[in-house]
Amino acid sequence: MHSEMMANPSFAQSLKELTPQIDMVVLLDRTVDLLTPLCTQLTYEGLIDELYGITYGASKFPRETFSEDVQNIRKGDPPTQGPLTVMLTSEEELSQEDKEIYDERKKAETVSDLKQFVQKLPHIQATKLSLSRHTTIAELIKNTTDRDDFLNMLHGEQCLREEESSDKVLDYTEQCMGMCEPVSKILRLMCMQSVANGGLKSRLMEQYKREILQCYGYQHLISLCNLEKAGLLRLQEGKSTFPLLRRQLRLIPEQIDELNPKTFHTCSQAMHL
């Protein structure tokens, strides 16, 4: 854009005449709140990122769970192998305009009305495929979020944020190690416990490190060192100030209206910040 402005002065002048849509930018140092990004995301796209990952705005899902129309398979074609890549864009949202198009079909009485409706059929077909695609994705997500291990993980994160003692989480973390859960899950719980408690006691830190190396391999020693450098894992020095800050600043609402949420705490299970 800079080269276009230099080559075309009139283009630069037209940009200056535009009314800006953003009048203020607020930058927050991430170290102010290290707990929120460690919490499990519970929005629709957040859960897709947690369970399937998002790379360059796209995610890959098991192909066999989608209909042939969504997979774009023609009759007679051999089945395609490998996961199905789905682009996640805001353009696929079912808006009020889509509902109005469906209503036009019922109201069409003249040939001219039918002709206008037929011109919009490609858009209706695309909306139908989008609805089918995201319904299947939602079912895949629900199959995971209804499992006991996922609910136990959310309960463990809630205990770390809202309770004074983390003894319950210690038992849960050790249980996850014994069941060889993904090491990323274990490291996340360790970091949350460290941040919420103002660090880990020396004995507990050594216990966690020993079990990580024994259960998952010595290659994760580098990960532990990097987490310590980032300040996510550290030894406890004095009493944690997080419980006091949580109460005084009301970081976690006690009562939440899930039907009419006023903060993103409902969606992310995190703090206000």
Side-chain angles (χ1 to χ4, degrees), residues 58-120:
S59 292
K60 295 182 179 181
F61 301 93
R63 181 178 293 273
E64 63 275 6
T65 58
F66 294 86
S67 65
E68 293 185 355
D69 292 337
V70 173
Q71 298 183 48
N72 196 21
I73 297 178
R74 298 179 181 179
K75 293 184 178 180
D77 291 348
T80 305
Q81 302 297 327
L84 178 68
T85 301
V86 176
M87 293 299 299
L88 304 172
T89 64
S90 58
E91 296 177 356
E92 289 192 327
E93 293 182 359
L94 297 179
S95 61
Q96 184 65 27
E97 179 184 355
D98 299 319
K99 300 177 183 178
E100 293 175 355
I101 292 177
Y102 283 104
D103 293 338
E104 286 183 16
R105 174 64 184 88
K106 300 178 182 179
K107 299 178 181 179
E109 297 178 355
T110 65
V111 176
S112 177
D113 294 339
L114 289 174
K115 184 178 180 180
Q116 292 179 1
F117 175 76
V118 170
Q119 292 176 349
K120 298 178 180 179

Side-chain angles (χ1 to χ4, degrees), residues 207-224:
Q207 176 183 343
Y208 274 152
K209 287 183 178 181
R210 182 173 60 254
E211 293 182 357
I212 285 286
L213 299 180
Q214 291 177 350
C215 295
Y216 298 97
Y218 284 86
Q219 68 273 18
H220 293 291
L221 183 61
I222 299 176
S223 300
L224 294 171

Side-chain angles (χ1 to χ4, degrees), residues 14-27:
S14 62
L15 288 179
K16 293 180 180 180
E17 295 175 356
L18 292 176
T19 303
Q21 298 181 357
I22 301 176
D23 60 353
M24 182 182 298
V25 176
V26 179
L27 300 179

